């Protein structure tokens, strides 16, 4: 058990809908990362937050957004969903006390999103 | 461009034989390198990392990795493979630019250990 929790575990929805994925990092970790994993794209970095502020952006679509709250949990919002958004979405956290990324990341179990 | 590559999509090895999963990288500055493993229907788990120091890094589950600066490689190794080592392995590298500091992952290598 990595100490990172994600809810829900599975999510089935329709095209055009909006969903929210939730992540609670390990106790004390200030950095939260979101990733999308699909068969054709592999593991894609979406976005990173550090202590409530956005620190790095990857291949995140404009239809997607995220935030990190004062209690350090994070939410990833996916809107106007398309069939191609079906994937596993992982959250990870690390114990970075600075902006440096040399600390390893601890991954949650993921949320499997299916868009029908 | 800063990147990490895993040249093999699939590696098959017999149980008890040594295994190697390859990784090469391209970054500016000193590389910070990681290996992660993903078992079916699970999140990634950290195996080991190289920051500085000894080129041979030891990690979890008997895995080790050798940092080779001249070949820009960071291959994952294990002396004797177990069937339970069958999983997806990801190499990752820290990428640092003026506007961000993040880790990028390679495409992954699927390891099958045959009984």
């Amino acid at each position: 058990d990595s100490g990172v929790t994600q809810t829900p575990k599975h999510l089935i929805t329709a095209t055009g809908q909006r969903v929210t994925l939730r992540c609670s990092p390990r106790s004390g970790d200030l950095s939260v990362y979101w990733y999308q994993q699909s068969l054709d794209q592999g593991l894609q970095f979406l976005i990173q937050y550090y202590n409530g502020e956005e620190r790095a952006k990857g291949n995140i679509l404009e239809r997607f957004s995220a935030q990190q709250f004062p209690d350090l949990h994070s939410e990833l919002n996916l809107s106007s969903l398309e069939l191609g958004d079906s994937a596993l979405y992982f959250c990870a956290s690390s114990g970075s006390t600075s902006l440096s990324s040399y600390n390893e990341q601890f991954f949650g179990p993921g949320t499997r999103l299916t868009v029908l | 461009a800063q990147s990490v590559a895993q040249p093999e999509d699939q590696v098959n090895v017999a149980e008890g034989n040594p295994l190697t999963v390859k990784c090469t990288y391209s970054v500016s500055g000193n590389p910070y390198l990681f290996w992660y493993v993903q078992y079916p229907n699970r999140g990634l788990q950290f195996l080991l990392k190289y920051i500085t120091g000894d080129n041979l890094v030891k990690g979890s589950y008997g895995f080790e990795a050798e940092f080779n600066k001249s070949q820009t490689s960071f291959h994952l190794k294990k002396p004797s493979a177990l069937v339970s080592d069958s999983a997806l392995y990801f190499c990752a590298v820290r990428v640092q630019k003026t506007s961000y500091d993040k880790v990028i992952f390679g495409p992954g290598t699927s390891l099958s250990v045959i009984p």
Side-chain angles (χ1 to χ4, degrees), chain A residues 1 7 10 19 21 23 28 32 43 47 52-53 56 66-67 81-82 88 98-99:
Chain A
D1 183 4
T7 57
H10 300 278
V19 297
L21 313 183
C23 167
V32 169
L43 189 67
I47 197 164
E53 293 186 9
Q67 54 184 326
L81 285 168
E82 302 174 0
L88 260 174
S98 69
L99 295 181

Side-chain angles (χ1 to χ4, degrees), chain B:
Chain B
Q2 303 189 80
S3 63
V4 58
Q6 295 179 242
E8 300 159 319
D9 292 336
Q10 175 82 39
V11 170
N12 297 319
V13 64
E15 186 177 22
N17 282 4
L19 69 86
T20 298
V21 182
K22 296 180 181 177
C23 171
T24 59
Y25 64 90
S26 173
V27 296
S28 56
N30 294 322
Y32 293 161
L33 299 155
F34 305 82
W35 275 103
Y36 289 82
V37 60
Q38 185 181 24
Y39 298 101
N41 300 312
R42 302 284 295 275
L44 280 69
Q45 295 178 36
F46 168 75
L47 278 179
L48 50 80
K49 67 181 178 183
Y50 172 83
I51 304 298
T52 186
D54 194 348
N55 290 343
L56 186 63
V57 179
K58 294 191 182 296
S60 307
Y61 313 121
F63 283 94
E64 57 189 28
E66 186 169 9
F67 170 67
N68 188 316
K69 189 172 183 177
S70 62
Q71 298 186 3
T72 62
S73 68
F74 188 56
H75 300 332
L76 182 70
K77 300 181 179 184
K78 187 172 183 181
S80 178
L82 301 173
V83 173
S84 58
D85 292 329
S86 298
L88 192 55
Y89 290 81
F90 291 92
C91 182
V93 64
R94 176 194 183 191
V95 173
Q96 190 178 30
K97 293 188 177 180
T98 52
S99 59
Y100 63 76
D101 183 352
K102 63 182 182 183
V103 172
I104 60 171
F105 287 80
T109 297
S110 180
L111 172 68
S112 290
V113 180
I114 303 159

Side-chain angles (χ1 to χ4, degrees), chain A residues 17-77:
Chain A
Q17 294 299 304
R18 172 190 168 95
V19 297
T20 297
L21 313 183
R22 182 187 168 100
C23 167
S24 293
R26 287 190 323 156
S27 176
D29 283 358
L30 299 178
S31 281
V32 169
Y33 310 78
W34 285 98
Y35 295 88
Q36 180 194 57
Q37 186 178 36
S38 60
L39 283 175
D40 56 342
Q41 296 286 332
L43 189 67
Q44 298 285 321
F45 167 70
L46 296 177
I47 197 164
Q48 177 199 357
Y49 278 83
Y50 174 76
N51 202 21
E53 293 186 9
E54 181 185 306
R55 283 306 184 195
K57 253 184 176 178
N59 302 321
I60 189 166
L61 301 172
E62 286 190 8
R63 300 184 284 110
F64 295 0
S65 65
Q67 54 184 326
Q68 186 179 27
F69 294 88
D71 67 352
L72 300 177
H73 90 271
S74 178
E75 293 181 354
L76 178 67
N77 300 296

